[in-house]
Amino acid sequence: MQKIKSLMTRQGLKSPPESLSDLGAIESLRVPGKEEFRELREQPTDPQAEQELINSIEQIYFSTDSFDIVKYELEKLPPVLNLQELEEYRDKLKQQQAAVSRKVADLILEKQPAYVKELERVTSLQTGLQLAAVICTNGRRHLNIAKEGFTQASLGLLANQRKRQLLIGLLKSLRTIKTLQRTDVRLSEMLEEEDYPGAIQLCLECQKAASTFKHYSCISELNSKLQDTLEQIEEQLDVALSKICKNFDINHYTKVQQAYRLLGKTQTAMDQLHMHFTQAIHNTVFQVVLGYVELCAGNTDTKFQKLQYKDLCTHITSDSYIPCLADLCKALWEVMLSYYRTMEWHEKHDNEDTTSASEGSNMSSEETNFDRGYIKKKLEHGLTRIWQDVQLKVKTYLLGTDLSIFKYDDFIFVLDIISRLMQVGEEFCGSKSEVLQESIRKQSINYFKNYHRTRLDELRMFLENETWELCPVKSNFSILQLHEFKFMEQSRSPSVSPSKQPASTSSKTETLFEQYCSVGNPFEIHANHNDEETEDVLASNGYESDEQEKSAYQEYDSDSDVPEELKRDYVDEQTGDAPVKSVSRETLKSRKKSDYSLNKVNAPILTNTTLNVIRLVGKYMQMMNILKPIAFDVIHFMSQLFDYYLYAVYTFFGRNDSLESTGLGLSSSRLRTTLNRIQESLIDMEVTADPTVTLTAAEERKEKVPSPHLSHLVVLTSGDTLYGLAERVVATESLVFLAEQFEFLQPHLDAVMPAVKKPFLQQFYSQTVSTASELRKPIYWIVAGKAIDYEQMLLLMANVKWDVKEIMSQHNIYVDALLKEFEQFNRRLNEVSKRVRIPLPVSNILWEHCIRLANRTIVEGYANVKKCSNEGRALMQLDFQQFLMKLEKLTDIRPIPDKEFVETYIKAYYLTENDMERWIKEHREYSTKQLTNLVNVCLGSHINKKARQKLLAAIDDIDRPKR
């Protein structure tokens, strides 16, 4: 670069800055001549070689810093000089200089037209500047002339105008100050109108205006007055905020929030609001309880106002306890509803704030988001805090009085109120109300234990005084018609699965806060609740109409028509099918032999005691439905009601030590297990007052109930009444009906039972409820065993001669006697059915038992035969076939019970020795006596003594395990 500059200097050129700074020397600027350029350009050049020479130049020569080239080159010389090397280096420098010069010459020639054009523009600019200087000179001269031409009067006019403007500004300031002085009156009016945002806005504007005129001495006092007014507004604003806690008003709260927003104290307002809600809860409950205490005390003694809330609750009387609790919950509901609506207000206005903040500055948006987040967290945290305060206040109230003094209905009423309050709490903050739940659970269990114990004693008293007469109810009777089960209809019966319920019911379900947000109170329902409705479940004289009563006692033979009423009312008791409108005459005729329920309306069979037990179950379920945490205890007590009823029916009508000795399996192992369990866990078999009994044993006995005793008014020994068959039917079928009602309630019980306790419920239903129908066999067996004179039949059979020599064509007289017994049994059943409807399953069991006993008596009679011929065995066949033929006309039970038992025994007379041994081992249903008779009497004539001993030994082997 230094070489380029030196070349330009030699050629008379200057750098652009230098040339522009010295415009006077433009004329003397020398431009290289065309000959010089041509001389440089005509020299033979190689572009690539030229470029290599330029690239070989040291970098320092291109530096913008000035330096001494000669000094630089001399310093590079070696200590020992070599002339030839110096000349070569000099030539190299000259070649580099020449290459640079040619390059510069090419660039100058290339830019020369532009240079000339720019030079002309600079010349034109110089001319314009000279013209501007002339114009400026003329302007200054004219300004001096104008200045000298102004007069003293003109300047005075301007001064007066300036004073006028100052006085106008002063007048405006005085008017503003006068307005500020009168502001306090307007502020007072706005506060009376509760226009807090307007008052604060006006006060802030006044303060801003006052700061503008602070140079006036009268403004300092006004500033102090405005500050006091602003503080007064804040105090009234806090009072207004406290009113929100009991009666939320949207417009009122909106004004309050706007006022706090103008003050920039939205967070402070939220802190104050929560403090007011806490105070409102305390003041509300205290005033409600205090009002009832003073009302009951009958005076206005101020001593109650000085008591603590906990001590005040102990002065509530039992008569005023429930109304006070209802009012207490109503007042607390108002507080929680106000908080709920406050949260709704903030959720709604948060969206509006977000929209308005997005239109403002970034800083405003950040502050708004921070305030909104703080308020949201504060409100969410306050939900739990307020609900905890409510629970503690109600818990304190509950603990102030012993709930055991209340009657059951009143206690249920209290539970209902508390349950509704817990529902409110769950909807309020999602809490499970642990504090309140634990408190009421303990009191409920203690109350319910005592109540249940009393009810068990009452049940024992009812059972011991029960005459087992039919309680007349209508054919369409349902437990849902009873007052105690009305709650199931109101809450939709749980027996209907959720999947079968209309979808709209779940989608349209409203919370209590949504339902009572504008008007009403969820606790007003309980205050106005009454059960003045009458139950329409009883029928007069057991019939629902005179027409049915008239048709009930009609007798029908094979040629009579069946009335249409009975066709409509006919229900298959065995299958439980719905009434069939079109039933053929043949069907009814075929069934009337054993169906003794055709002459009665198909109403459920139950007693007054059964109805009382059902009502108790309804009451228990009410408590369980209201307070689900004690569901297991309630269901356990409900199971004891059923257990005791089942045990009483068995004890009264089914206990007979001779039953199991028959070997017919009348009582299943499941039934025996159930009865043993009930006796061990529920029945107090020891009726002694031994003072040495331990405390543990006494507590265990306290949980048990003495075994009931059948009323002396119930006679079970008369043959005319089939040994109390009517009472047995009423007792047994009422138990079956009770079991059916428990089955109906199972889905509801299963829904409220805790998951960990559901195995108990399943076990109760599978091992106890399902065994109720099994009691029919042992109970009706006793009737069957006495209804027919089986001993007389054995005596008649003993008089028959079986070793006849010729085949008889006439059956023996004992067959006719037995059939007469069955005919008499049939007539007695008809007589009993006029008192009590005998369901088809019952009549079938009775006939089955009687036929089974008759057939076994026949076998026993054949086993008593001392001598028997082949013709005698044929006579046995004839007698039995005659018996079957006549019996089938009396009953429609098919197949005849134990028919094979008799036929197999008779056919065994014809077996050979080898077949008999196998037959004995296969048929263990026969007694040792019966098998021994077969061997001794029937086979003794055609087998030897050794063979007979062998068969007897086989029989003895079979009998040995039984012993």
Side-chain angles (χ1 to χ4, degrees), residues 818-838:
L818 182 59
L819 289 171
K820 285 182 180 180
E821 289 283 338
F822 274 101
E823 290 173 357
Q824 184 180 5
F825 172 71
N826 190 25
R827 287 193 298 271
R828 288 177 177 176
L829 277 181
N830 278 313
E831 291 296 325
V832 172
S833 67
K834 293 178 181 180
R835 289 180 54 199
V836 177
R837 178 176 62 87
I838 300 179

Short mmCIF file of all heavy atoms in Angstrom, two decimals, residues 818-838:
data_model
loop_
_atom_site.label_atom_id
_atom_site.label_comp_id
_atom_site.label_asym_id
_atom_site.label_seq_id
_atom_site.Cartn_x
_atom_site.Cartn_y
_atom_site.Cartn_z
N LEU A 818 -104.83 -98.04 54.07
CA LEU A 818 -103.83 -96.99 53.81
C LEU A 818 -104.38 -95.92 52.88
O LEU A 818 -104.17 -94.71 53.08
CB LEU A 818 -102.57 -97.62 53.21
CG LEU A 818 -101.40 -96.66 52.92
CD1 LEU A 818 -100.97 -95.94 54.19
CD2 LEU A 818 -100.22 -97.43 52.32
N LEU A 819 -105.11 -96.34 51.85
CA LEU A 819 -105.69 -95.36 50.91
C LEU A 819 -106.73 -94.49 51.61
O LEU A 819 -106.86 -93.30 51.30
CB LEU A 819 -106.30 -96.09 49.72
CG LEU A 819 -105.29 -96.74 48.75
CD1 LEU A 819 -105.99 -97.61 47.72
CD2 LEU A 819 -104.46 -95.66 48.05
N LYS A 820 -107.49 -95.09 52.54
CA LYS A 820 -108.45 -94.29 53.29
C LYS A 820 -107.73 -93.23 54.13
O LYS A 820 -108.21 -92.11 54.29
CB LYS A 820 -109.29 -95.19 54.18
CG LYS A 820 -110.35 -95.98 53.42
CD LYS A 820 -111.19 -96.81 54.40
CE LYS A 820 -112.27 -97.61 53.63
NZ LYS A 820 -113.10 -98.44 54.54
N GLU A 821 -106.58 -93.61 54.68
CA GLU A 821 -105.79 -92.64 55.43
C GLU A 821 -105.37 -91.46 54.54
O GLU A 821 -105.43 -90.30 54.94
CB GLU A 821 -104.54 -93.31 56.02
CG GLU A 821 -104.83 -94.28 57.14
CD GLU A 821 -105.13 -93.58 58.45
OE1 GLU A 821 -104.71 -92.40 58.60
OE2 GLU A 821 -105.78 -94.17 59.33
N PHE A 822 -104.98 -91.78 53.32
CA PHE A 822 -104.58 -90.73 52.39
C PHE A 822 -105.77 -89.86 51.98
O PHE A 822 -105.63 -88.64 51.81
CB PHE A 822 -103.91 -91.33 51.15
CG PHE A 822 -102.44 -91.57 51.32
CD1 PHE A 822 -101.94 -92.84 51.59
CD2 PHE A 822 -101.54 -90.52 51.24
CE1 PHE A 822 -100.59 -93.06 51.76
CE2 PHE A 822 -100.17 -90.72 51.39
CZ PHE A 822 -99.69 -92.00 51.66
N GLU A 823 -106.92 -90.48 51.79
CA GLU A 823 -108.10 -89.69 51.46
C GLU A 823 -108.48 -88.75 52.59
O GLU A 823 -108.85 -87.59 52.38
CB GLU A 823 -109.27 -90.63 51.14
CG GLU A 823 -109.09 -91.39 49.82
CD GLU A 823 -110.18 -92.44 49.62
OE1 GLU A 823 -111.01 -92.60 50.54
OE2 GLU A 823 -110.18 -93.09 48.57
N GLN A 824 -108.36 -89.28 53.82
CA GLN A 824 -108.64 -88.42 54.97
C GLN A 824 -107.61 -87.30 55.07
O GLN A 824 -107.94 -86.15 55.39
CB GLN A 824 -108.63 -89.25 56.25
CG GLN A 824 -109.01 -88.44 57.49
CD GLN A 824 -109.00 -89.29 58.75
OE1 GLN A 824 -108.62 -90.45 58.70
NE2 GLN A 824 -109.43 -88.72 59.86
N PHE A 825 -106.36 -87.62 54.77
CA PHE A 825 -105.30 -86.61 54.76
C PHE A 825 -105.61 -85.53 53.71
O PHE A 825 -105.44 -84.32 53.96
CB PHE A 825 -103.96 -87.29 54.45
CG PHE A 825 -102.83 -86.33 54.22
CD1 PHE A 825 -102.30 -85.60 55.28
CD2 PHE A 825 -102.29 -86.14 52.96
CE1 PHE A 825 -101.25 -84.72 55.07
CE2 PHE A 825 -101.25 -85.26 52.75
CZ PHE A 825 -100.73 -84.55 53.80
N ASN A 826 -106.10 -85.93 52.57
CA ASN A 826 -106.45 -84.99 51.51
C ASN A 826 -107.58 -84.07 51.96
O ASN A 826 -107.56 -82.85 51.73
CB ASN A 826 -106.85 -85.76 50.24
CG ASN A 826 -107.00 -84.84 49.04
OD1 ASN A 826 -106.40 -83.77 48.98
ND2 ASN A 826 -107.81 -85.25 48.09
N ARG A 827 -108.59 -84.63 52.63
CA ARG A 827 -109.70 -83.82 53.11
C ARG A 827 -109.23 -82.81 54.17
O ARG A 827 -109.67 -81.66 54.19
CB ARG A 827 -110.81 -84.72 53.69
CG ARG A 827 -111.61 -85.48 52.62
CD ARG A 827 -112.88 -86.09 53.23
NE ARG A 827 -112.55 -87.06 54.26
CZ ARG A 827 -112.33 -88.37 54.04
NH1 ARG A 827 -112.39 -88.84 52.80
NH2 ARG A 827 -112.07 -89.19 55.04
N ARG A 828 -108.36 -83.27 55.02
CA ARG A 828 -107.85 -82.36 56.06
C ARG A 828 -107.03 -81.22 55.44
O ARG A 828 -107.08 -80.07 55.92
CB ARG A 828 -107.01 -83.13 57.06
CG ARG A 828 -107.83 -84.05 57.96
CD ARG A 828 -106.92 -84.83 58.89
NE ARG A 828 -107.69 -85.67 59.81
CZ ARG A 828 -107.13 -86.52 60.67
NH1 ARG A 828 -105.80 -86.64 60.73
NH2 ARG A 828 -107.88 -87.24 61.49
N LEU A 829 -106.27 -81.56 54.41
CA LEU A 829 -105.52 -80.50 53.73
C LEU A 829 -106.47 -79.46 53.14
O LEU A 829 -106.20 -78.25 53.20
CB LEU A 829 -104.66 -81.10 52.60
CG LEU A 829 -103.30 -81.67 52.99
CD1 LEU A 829 -102.57 -82.18 51.77
CD2 LEU A 829 -102.45 -80.61 53.68
N ASN A 830 -107.57 -79.94 52.56
CA ASN A 830 -108.55 -79.00 52.02
C ASN A 830 -109.14 -78.11 53.12
O ASN A 830 -109.36 -76.92 52.93
CB ASN A 830 -109.68 -79.75 51.31
CG ASN A 830 -109.29 -80.13 49.89
OD1 ASN A 830 -108.78 -79.31 49.14
ND2 ASN A 830 -109.49 -81.40 49.53
N GLU A 831 -109.40 -78.72 54.28
CA GLU A 831 -109.94 -77.93 55.38
C GLU A 831 -108.93 -76.88 55.85
O GLU A 831 -109.28 -75.73 56.10
CB GLU A 831 -110.31 -78.86 56.56
CG GLU A 831 -111.50 -79.77 56.29
CD GLU A 831 -112.78 -78.97 56.08
OE1 GLU A 831 -112.94 -77.92 56.75
OE2 GLU A 831 -113.60 -79.39 55.24
N VAL A 832 -107.66 -77.29 55.95
CA VAL A 832 -106.62 -76.35 56.38
C VAL A 832 -106.46 -75.24 55.35
O VAL A 832 -106.24 -74.06 55.70
CB VAL A 832 -105.29 -77.08 56.62
CG1 VAL A 832 -104.16 -76.07 56.88
CG2 VAL A 832 -105.41 -78.05 57.79
N SER A 833 -106.58 -75.58 54.07
CA SER A 833 -106.38 -74.59 53.01
C SER A 833 -107.44 -73.51 53.02
O SER A 833 -107.27 -72.45 52.42
CB SER A 833 -106.35 -75.27 51.64
OG SER A 833 -107.62 -75.81 51.32
N LYS A 834 -108.60 -73.79 53.70
CA LYS A 834 -109.62 -72.75 53.83
C LYS A 834 -109.19 -71.70 54.83
O LYS A 834 -109.62 -70.55 54.77
CB LYS A 834 -110.93 -73.37 54.27
CG LYS A 834 -111.56 -74.28 53.21
CD LYS A 834 -112.85 -74.92 53.70
CE LYS A 834 -113.44 -75.86 52.64
NZ LYS A 834 -114.70 -76.49 53.11
N ARG A 835 -108.32 -72.07 55.75
CA ARG A 835 -107.78 -71.09 56.71
C ARG A 835 -106.55 -70.38 56.15
O ARG A 835 -106.42 -69.17 56.26
CB ARG A 835 -107.40 -71.79 58.01
CG ARG A 835 -108.57 -72.26 58.85
CD ARG A 835 -108.04 -72.92 60.12
NE ARG A 835 -107.12 -72.04 60.83
CZ ARG A 835 -106.25 -72.47 61.74
NH1 ARG A 835 -106.16 -73.77 62.03
NH2 ARG A 835 -105.47 -71.62 62.36
N VAL A 836 -105.66 -71.18 55.57
CA VAL A 836 -104.39 -70.65 55.08
C VAL A 836 -104.13 -71.21 53.70
O VAL A 836 -104.32 -72.42 53.46
CB VAL A 836 -103.21 -71.04 56.03
CG1 VAL A 836 -101.90 -70.54 55.46
CG2 VAL A 836 -103.44 -70.47 57.41
N ARG A 837 -103.72 -70.36 52.80
CA ARG A 837 -103.36 -70.84 51.48
C ARG A 837 -102.12 -71.74 51.57
O ARG A 837 -101.11 -71.35 52.15
CB ARG A 837 -103.04 -69.65 50.56
CG ARG A 837 -102.60 -70.05 49.16
CD ARG A 837 -102.41 -68.81 48.30
NE ARG A 837 -101.37 -67.94 48.82
CZ ARG A 837 -100.07 -68.07 48.52
NH1 ARG A 837 -99.68 -69.05 47.71
NH2 ARG A 837 -99.20 -67.23 49.02
N ILE A 838 -102.25 -72.93 51.01
CA ILE A 838 -101.13 -73.87 51.03
C ILE A 838 -100.46 -73.81 49.65
O ILE A 838 -101.03 -74.27 48.66
CB ILE A 838 -101.59 -75.31 51.32
CG1 ILE A 838 -102.28 -75.36 52.69
CG2 ILE A 838 -100.42 -76.27 51.28
CD1 ILE A 838 -102.79 -76.72 53.06
#
